[in-house]
Amino acid sequence: MVWFLIYLLNILWTMAGTNTQTRSSCSIPSEQLPWVNDLQVQMENSVTSSDFPNPSVLIAMNLVGAYNLEAQKLLTYELMASDTADLTTGQLALTIMALTSSCRDPGSKMSVLQKQMENWAPSGPSEEATAFYGPSLAIMTLCQKNSETTLPIAVRFAKTLLANSSPFNVDTGAVATLALTCMYNKIPIGSDESYRALFGQVLKAIVENISMSIKDNGIIGNIYSTGLAMQALSVTPVQPKKEWDCEKTMNIILDEIKQGKFQNSMSIAQILPSLRGKTYLDLPQVSCGPDHEVQPTLPNYPNPPPTSASNITVTYTINNQLRGVELLFNVTIDVIVKSGSVLLVVLEEAQRKNDMFKFETTMTSWGPIVSSINNIAENVNHNTYWQFLSGTTPLNEGVADYIPFNNEHITANFTQY
Ligand code: B12
Ligand SMILES: *[C@@H]1O[C@H](CO)[C@@H](O)[C@H](O)[C@H]1NC(C)=O
Ligand SMILES: *[C@@H]1O[C@H](CO)[C@@H](O)[C@H](O)[C@H]1NC(C)=O
Ligand SMILES: *[C@@H]1O[C@H](CO)[C@@H](O)[C@H](O)[C@H]1NC(C)=O
Ligand SMILES: *[C@@H]1O[C@H](CO)[C@@H](O)[C@H](O)[C@H]1NC(C)=O
């Protein structure tokens, strides 16, 4: 009798887990597909052994079907070898999702992640929203592995999110939606209805916030949060009041791709699954059968713009009004660089001309982040960082990707988030 009950519960559990929700999704017109194929080729070609192994790239490859099997193998191998102790909670979660989608056993990494989340607590109700980004990835990972043992952790996480009062962040809201949707879909039938109510309530609040971030042109947040937001809106069991036009979003993103806005391989890794109608919640369904290499169709490019040998002048200000009364500075320099150079070249030229402009970078999955200027360094415990602005508008790319124009005024402002 007891065995029969356990058997029955198991079936119900499995049914709850595979309970598929209706999804709003859309697909790319076939004549536009070569652009997406090219994007994928670019991302896969960014995988080299010398680089920082990026789990988000492997996740995207496994979700959409890799072209470059050598790159897939290399990345899997490098992530297997990565040392858990060097990873943050979010990086650990991404690494586990990448490895399991490559059909590798993540080993002890899973229990380390579970422990980290059992001990996780935000600093308080005004903790900034982006502090939930890594923990959301962790809940998503633990949910996909074993939703039953994740339930208490996810309940605490959901309550903390609901109590948080900081300004909304689209990227973080999107990842939190994926995590809580996974939990919502796996609540065992017959279990306490309060779980469904709690996850449903938090999802409702986040999805409303995401839908309020949809611009008239279809962009959700900014172009680099749109990929994650599309994933969130296509899986959520609670629909926003304002309807989302998936087609419109897809079209504007394709336009941005054609304008070369998705060169950074991490930006491709975050948009590609949505372009191919996949989400991180599809990861458990990925099969690792013997893959066959396919030759993608690539676009016929319009002739690349002639590379002009002209120079541009960029005005560059570094401003610290925050740290150390005797250390405050606000200095400006004009530098000349080749037209088409990335902002990093401006910073290097400024540093060469004047020692006050010396700076340091730290490598991340998005590329180099400017961690220190003139000996003033970012500090996670103080929530301080160097923010880059054009005029008074924050840049939405980093220094290794952003290309300044002639007579632009770039400011690096030491500030808090
Ligand atoms: C949190 C966050 C930050 C925090 C990071 C520190 C912290 N407390 O965690 C702070 C506030 C410092 C930050 C700064 C910036 N950020 Co930011 N950030 C994020 C966010 C929301 C989550 C990152 C995360 O936790 N990932 C999870 C962990 C597991 O992955 P990770 O790779 O280890 O995460 C690290 C990197 O993402 C890195 N990082 C964060 N932002 C950026 C930006 C750049 C250009 C680089 C190279 C690295 C980097 O910091 C993370 C923690 O160490 C992402 C959203 C997203 N979609 O990825 C945006 C995001 C990555 N940031 C972005 C931008 C534009 C910036 C800034 C350039 C903004 C500005 N105008 O100054 C600056 C960097 C300037 C500099 N000094 O070089 C864009 C990048 C788009 C692009 N095409 O390059 C994103 C995608 C947001 C968006 N939708 O526009 N960011
Ligand atoms: C929704 O956005 C508002 C305004 O930024 C914020 O105060 C609230 O905490 C957000 N809610 C959730 C669940 O993210
Ligand atoms: C651009 O600047 C470099 C370095 O200052 C200089 O050598 C070169 O002659 C300049 N080119 C033009 C076209 O002005
Ligand atoms: C810093 O310098 C810039 C450019 O010279 C100026 O516009 C700005 O007002 C200054 N800011 C502060 C806080 O001194
Ligand atoms: C620069 O940072 C300071 C300190 O956080 C802030 O008060 C100021 O408004 C910022 N300036 C700009 C242009 O964002």
Side-chain angles (χ1 to χ4, degrees):
M1 184 60 191
V2 174
W3 286 112
F4 178 73
L5 268 179
I6 290 174
Y7 172 77
L8 202 68
L9 273 174
N10 256 320
I11 289 188
L12 287 175
W13 188 273
T14 319
M15 276 168 58
T18 52
N19 153 24
T20 42
Q21 298 288 327
T22 43
R23 306 179 158 196
S24 44
S25 66
C26 56
S27 52
I28 311 164
S30 58
E31 72 275 12
Q32 308 277 13
L33 269 176
W35 291 97
V36 178
N37 299 347
D38 181 57
L39 213 58
Q40 186 177 338
V41 168
Q42 266 190 64
M43 181 189 77
E44 296 186 355
N45 288 350
S46 75
V47 177
T48 55
S49 55
S50 57
D51 252 334
F52 194 94
N54 186 339
S56 300
V57 168
L58 186 57
I59 291 173
M61 284 170 90
N62 288 336
L63 271 177
V64 305
Y67 294 140
N68 183 341
L69 304 184
E70 274 311 306
Q72 189 188 34
K73 244 168 70 186
L74 178 64
L75 201 43
T76 304
Y77 175 81
E78 287 185 335
L79 289 170
M80 280 298 281
S82 65
D83 187 350
T84 308
D86 302 337
L87 305 176
T88 63
T89 298
Q91 289 165 342
L92 183 58
L94 289 168
T95 303
I96 293 170
M97 282 192 278
L99 290 176
T100 43
S101 67
S102 275
C103 297
R104 294 303 144 87
D105 182 357
S108 64
K109 290 187 170 70
M110 191 64 90
S111 56
V112 172
L113 185 65
Q114 166 123 10
K115 272 269 138 33
Q116 283 184 8
M117 284 311 289
E118 277 163 2
N119 298 326
W120 171 80
S123 64
S126 59
E127 174 77 280
E128 87 283 2
T130 57
F132 290 86
Y133 190 104
S136 297
L137 291 169
I139 300 279
M140 195 191 322
T141 308
L142 294 171
C143 171
Q144 291 183 355
K145 168 77 179 164
N146 186 340
S147 53
E148 197 175 1
T149 52
T150 310
L151 201 52
I153 302 171
V155 164
R156 201 159 57 84
F157 174 79
K159 288 180 175 163
T160 319
L161 254 182
L162 206 55
N164 187 269
S165 59
S166 68
F168 185 68
N169 173 270
V170 175
D171 308 72
T172 308
V175 189
T177 299
L178 289 164
L180 294 178
T181 298
C182 177
M183 289 306 301
Y184 184 95
N185 288 343
K186 288 188 169 195
I187 297 167
I189 292 171
S191 75
D192 192 340
E193 271 306 303
S194 65
Y195 294 132
R196 191 175 300 276
L198 173 66
F199 295 139
Q201 182 193 4
V202 184
L203 281 169
K204 180 94 199 135
I206 303 175
V207 167
E208 274 316 322
N209 276 357
I210 295 179
S211 99
M212 284 192 291
S213 309
I214 305 176
K215 310 271 170 65
D216 289 339
N217 63 6
I219 293 294
I220 314 172
N222 70 19
I223 63 173
Y224 301 112
S225 52
T226 300
L228 296 174
M230 289 173 82
Q231 288 196 35
L233 290 177
S234 63
V235 299
T236 174
V238 288
Q239 291 309 311
K241 283 189 222 106
K242 178 177 149 194
E243 211 189 319
W244 169 50
D245 184 346
C246 177
E247 210 113 357
K248 196 185 209 179
T249 300
M250 202 71 117
N251 286 333
I252 181 105
I253 288 295
L254 281 165
D255 283 349
E256 301 282 356
I257 289 168
K258 291 174 191 172
Q259 286 170 36
K261 299 280 178 59
F262 287 84
Q263 306 278 342
N264 183 303
S265 56
M266 184 61 172
S267 74
I268 303 175
Q270 290 193 352
I271 195 79
L272 193 59
S274 296
L275 295 173
R276 298 233 195 261
K278 299 282 184 209
T279 80
Y280 289 166
L281 299 191
D282 296 320
L283 279 172
Q285 277 84 50
V286 167
S287 70
C288 309
D291 247 317
H292 48 284
E293 219 149 341
V294 260
Q295 275 310 312
T297 326
L298 299 178
N300 297 311
Y301 286 111
N303 288 335
T307 42
S308 59
S310 65
N311 289 332
I312 60 165
T313 302
V314 178
T315 304
Y316 174 46
T317 299
I318 54 174
N319 186 18
N320 164 37
Q321 302 301 322
L322 210 58
R323 241 209 69 207
V325 182
E326 71 291 3
L327 296 173
L328 305 184
F329 55 85
N330 183 20
V331 279
T332 298
I333 192 172
D334 277 346
V335 295
I336 296 169
V337 297
K338 275 216 227 75
S339 165
S341 304
V342 296
L343 182 53
L344 189 58
V345 174
V346 171
L347 266 63
E348 280 162 353
E349 181 61 12
Q351 168 174 258
R352 200 184 58 80
K353 283 176 78 175
N354 180 338
D355 188 51
M356 264 196 100
F357 288 84
K358 61 183 173 291
F359 70 100
E360 283 163 22
T361 60
T362 310
M363 202 54 189
T364 78
S365 62
W366 281 93
I369 189 164
V370 176
S371 47
S372 155
I373 297 176
N374 195 21
N375 299 325
I376 300 290
E378 65 175 7
N379 184 321
V380 277
N381 300 319
H382 301 156
N383 289 358
T384 50
Y385 77 113
W386 282 100
Q387 182 183 52
F388 282 84
L389 307 110
S390 168
T392 55
T393 311
L395 298 183
N396 66 3
E397 287 178 300
V399 294
D401 292 314
Y402 185 74
I403 298 175
F405 52 85
N406 194 24
N407 294 324
E408 185 168 4
H409 188 174
I410 297 284
T411 300
N413 191 36
F414 194 63
T415 191
Q416 270 179 312
Y417 47 87

